[in-house]
Amino acid sequence: MEGRRRGGGLLVAGTTSDAGKSVVTAGICRWLARQGVKVAPFKGQNMSLNSFVTRDDAEIGRAQAMQAQAAGVEPSALMNPVLLKPGGDRTSQVVLLGRPVGEMSARGYFGRAGRREELLTTVLDCLDQLRSTYSAVICEGAGSPAEINLRRTDLVNMGVARAAGLPVLVVGDIDRGGVFASFFGTTALLEAADQRLIAGYLVNKFRGDVELLRPGLSMLTSVTGRPFFGVLPYAHGLGIDEEDGLRVSLRGAVRESMVAPPVGAEILRVAVCAVPLMSNFTDVDALAAEPGVVVRFVDRPEELVDADLVIVPGTRGTVGALDWLRRRGLADALVRRAAEGRPVLGICGGFQLLGDRIEDEVESRAGVVEGLGLLPVRVRFAEAKTLARPSGSALGEPVEGYEIHHGVAEVLGGEPFLDGCRVGEVWGTHWHGSLESDGFRRAFLRRVAEAAGRRFVPAPDTSFEALREEQLDRLGDLIEEHADTEALWRLIEDGPPAGLPFVPPGAPAPVAAPSAAAPDGEVPPAPAGGVSPAPDNGVSEAPARGGNGRETGTPERTRQTPPGLEGASEGQEGDA
């Protein structure tokens, strides 16, 4: 792509996890798309159990799929080249360019010199391809760029920004407190070459009179030399895939349930078993969008008593989730519900554990395990992962979904239901996202209400797709109305501003050169304004690709060896 002008770019970082990076990225994408700009989202590496399958059967983070919808473009594996799916406290499955390549520990992921460089090359190649196609690429960081213990292995924050020469906008959540200290500390903990890319700040989730905030904004600008690009007000009821935490999804679900009264005489209560390693719990968002449907996540058997529908969701650990249900007493409660003819829906891993038997030598390596026996299904875990976008019909309505699973189900009886089956009021399928099909969702809720004896009537005109578009438009409105969009566009188009000052103390640079104004290795003292010129550490803002001095790493056990994943060894440990 040498000689061809690349599209503009911006990296949205955060002072913390859940600062609002995902929603700000989506909001900028929607704002740009409404201005006629061809824009795409990007996240070099994502750790999430909420994923999505693209049209070409590639698996990416669900947040990037949501951001692609905000941008009005089709999701692609280029938008999330590395996806880590936790399988326990110390291991994760690595999905590279949309395909699983093995399990890993943290030490295995970053355990051999050269691996991080190879993975970074893959990440940057994907970013380059997007920037050659789109006028702007809005990148999302992960956690905080000031996690100095992870800087040398970074593939998603300053590692990408520095290699690609991207300006960085830092988002802070003022609702949790300490936002000014977080902005200052995030900047001051970065080495000089990283600081030169920190272009400014964006306050998120502000409540109250913004004029009361302005003295603090001015003071922080004076001590960091960096402007604020806006103050976004606290927006109630966004209810989208903004982060991967259960708390966020639950907040959205409860919010949607409380907006509109039921159409019929009664509400419908849905309890979702909060199994360990719960994946794609966003499946229930479409239920929560229905007026009169109340969704809650539960972990005790007594919480199932008044539920009209119980959902056992997907999980990255089917056998472990089954054991958890038994230990918590939830398994017995599910068996009792089935015997009483009360509705239960199992999705993906939840479907698998409702069957008769599970043979797992892949995920848990537990061998043959007896399931709950509520569906005539036998499951065998395969090395190959099923990734698909199926469509069909059920209950007389068209349905679309997506599949992400290693378990292969052999259905031995019951009434066919999508790819699974139904026995009595127990339903099971591998299909995620099926409840987003409006006609099918309404038909299914009518069946649930009838079985539960509830006078609940689904709203005739609820469109989950339209609701999602409205929410994405609200994100675009937040950016358009409360951010300095002219300054944002200059940042995207022109890159990092020149002359951004250094904020002491900074982090040690990989290669240090003495400053002309200070003894060897020291940083000049800050002037009265609190900032000092960035020391010359011999590192350019956008170093050449494949340069020396980068430590790297990848997964331990690989089933195939794309670039950056060769030679991984087993037996290493470390938090994933």
Side-chain angles (χ1 to χ4, degrees):
M1 297 188 304
E2 196 169 327
R4 180 177 179 183
R5 184 186 181 280
R6 294 187 302 172
L10 171 71
L11 189 138
V12 179
T15 57
T16 62
S17 296
D18 198 23
K21 297 182 294 292
S22 294
V23 295
V24 168
T25 300
I28 294 175
C29 285
R30 178 51 62 104
W31 160 64
L32 287 172
R34 293 197 304 209
Q35 308 308 307
V37 177
K38 188 178 180 184
V39 59
F42 178 80
K43 187 165 186 173
Q45 176 183 285
N46 196 2
M47 178 173 279
S48 175
L49 286 172
N50 283 338
S51 58
F52 183 78
V53 178
T54 66
R55 291 290 180 191
D56 57 352
D57 297 338
E59 185 178 9
I60 66 172
R62 190 169 171 97
Q64 280 61 66
M66 175 270 291
Q67 291 160 356
Q69 183 176 352
V73 298
E74 191 67 31
S76 160
L78 294 175
M79 298 172 183
N80 180 205
V82 181
L83 173 63
L84 307 179
K85 303 192 72 174
D89 291 339
R90 292 177 177 265
T91 62
S92 291
Q93 183 181 68
V94 179
V95 179
L96 184 65
L97 297 175
R99 298 290 185 271
V101 294
E103 298 288 325
M104 63 97 194
S105 71
R107 291 187 187 178
Y109 191 50
F110 291 122
R112 177 174 66 81
R115 284 187 190 159
R116 181 256 187 188
E117 181 175 307
E118 293 162 344
L119 283 175
L120 182 59
T121 296
T122 298
V123 167
L124 294 175
D125 283 345
C126 291
L127 179 57
D128 279 346
Q129 288 185 59
L130 290 174
R131 293 181 75 182
S132 70
T133 305
Y134 293 87
S135 300
V137 178
I138 309 303
C139 308
E140 179 188 346
S144 163
E147 292 169 352
I148 54 179
N149 58 311
L150 301 176
R151 175 60 184 92
R152 69 185 183 88
T153 56
D154 175 39
L155 299 173
V156 65
N157 289 309
M158 302 312 299
V160 167
R162 201 150 119 192
L166 294 174
V168 178
L169 176 69
V170 181
V171 178
D173 178 1
I174 197 171
D175 193 54
R176 65 174 62 191
V179 73
F180 292 122
S182 297
F183 282 135
F184 181 85
T186 297
T187 308
L189 276 177
L190 299 177
E191 59 189 73
D194 287 349
Q195 285 197 23
R196 284 201 289 267
L197 303 177
I198 302 296
Y201 312 112
L202 184 73
V203 174
N204 191 29
K205 303 179 186 178
F206 179 71
R207 307 171 191 252
D209 185 353
V210 72
E211 292 303 317
L212 299 177
L213 195 63
R214 294 201 187 282
L217 305 181
S218 298
M219 284 188 281
L220 192 65
T221 294
S222 71
V223 298
T224 65
R226 288 158 173 84
F228 279 83
F229 284 78
V231 177
L232 306 186
Y234 194 106
H236 294 276
L238 290 176
I240 63 173
D241 312 329
E242 54 187 280
E243 294 285 352
D244 297 322
L246 171 60
R247 180 180 65 82
V248 175
S249 179
L250 178 56
R251 182 180 67 212
V254 170
R255 188 274 311 164
E256 289 294 350
S257 301
M258 295 171 61
V259 165
V263 175
E266 294 182 294
I267 64 172
L268 206 64
R269 296 177 175 87
V270 178
V272 184
C273 295
V275 297
L277 297 175
M278 182 164 42
S279 60
N280 286 72
F281 47 80
T282 48
D283 282 336
V284 304
D285 287 351
L287 292 180
E290 283 284 348
V293 176
V294 177
V295 178
R296 65 182 188 272
F297 290 82
V298 303
D299 60 3
R300 296 180 298 180
E302 56 268 28
E303 294 177 291
L304 305 188
V305 174
D306 66 344
D308 302 306
L309 169 66
V310 173
I311 294 179
V312 188
T315 171
R316 259 278 285 154
T318 300
V319 171
L322 178 58
D323 178 65
W324 180 84
L325 289 170
R326 285 176 168 142
R327 286 187 287 105
R328 303 285 297 190
L330 287 160
D332 289 339
L334 289 170
V335 172
R336 286 195 298 271
R337 283 187 67 89
E340 294 166 359
R342 304 179 67 196
V344 175
L345 171 63
I347 302 174
C348 201
F351 162 46
Q352 295 167 4
L353 61 81
L354 294 180
D356 292 328
R357 189 180 73 181
I358 299 169
E359 183 182 341
D360 183 9
E361 298 291 351
V362 175
E363 190 175 75
S364 68
R365 302 187 180 181
V368 177
V369 177
E370 295 301 314
L372 295 185
L374 302 183
L375 292 174
V377 174
R378 293 180 180 177
V379 176
R380 177 185 56 82
F381 274 71
E383 290 282 342
K385 191 175 193 176
T386 298
L387 296 170
R389 289 281 294 268
S391 61
S393 63
L395 303 180
E397 298 287 347
V399 191
E400 293 184 352
Y402 55 99
E403 295 184 61
I404 307 170
H405 54 92
H406 282 279
V408 178
E410 181 185 6
V411 179
L412 302 173
E415 179 182 334
F417 174 63
L418 301 176
D419 70 319
C421 65
R422 168 199 173 200
V423 174
E425 292 305 322
V426 180
W427 312 67
T429 177
H430 277 126
W431 290 19
H432 294 290
S434 63
L435 294 168
E436 296 179 17
S437 298
D438 297 326
F440 166 72
R441 182 180 65 253
R442 287 191 280 268
F444 180 69
L445 289 176
R446 282 192 290 269
R447 294 292 295 267
V448 168
E450 181 182 355
R454 295 288 186 190
R455 292 175 295 163
F456 169 84
V457 178
D461 55 356
T462 301
S463 167
F464 185 74
E465 178 72 14
L467 288 172
R468 174 55 57 90
E469 286 294 319
E470 289 174 11
Q471 290 167 337
L472 293 173
D473 276 333
R474 291 182 62 198
L475 295 182
D477 292 342
L478 283 175
I479 298 299
E480 188 168 344
E481 296 169 10
H482 301 282
D484 186 343
T485 53
E486 289 188 11
L488 270 180
W489 179 245
R490 286 196 301 270
L491 204 61
I492 293 167
E493 193 169 40
D494 299 338
L500 291 171
F502 176 73
V503 180
V511 180
S515 168
D520 288 356
E522 293 185 10
V523 174
V531 297
S532 64
D536 180 6
N537 62 1
V539 181
S540 66
E541 292 181 5
R545 298 277 295 279
N548 295 326
R550 297 187 181 127
E551 295 84 6
T552 68
T554 55
E556 292 182 7
R557 295 183 293 276
T558 57
R559 289 187 283 273
Q560 47 186 306
T561 53
L565 296 176
E566 300 89 343
S569 61
E570 297 190 21
Q572 296 168 308
E573 296 179 351
D575 293 336

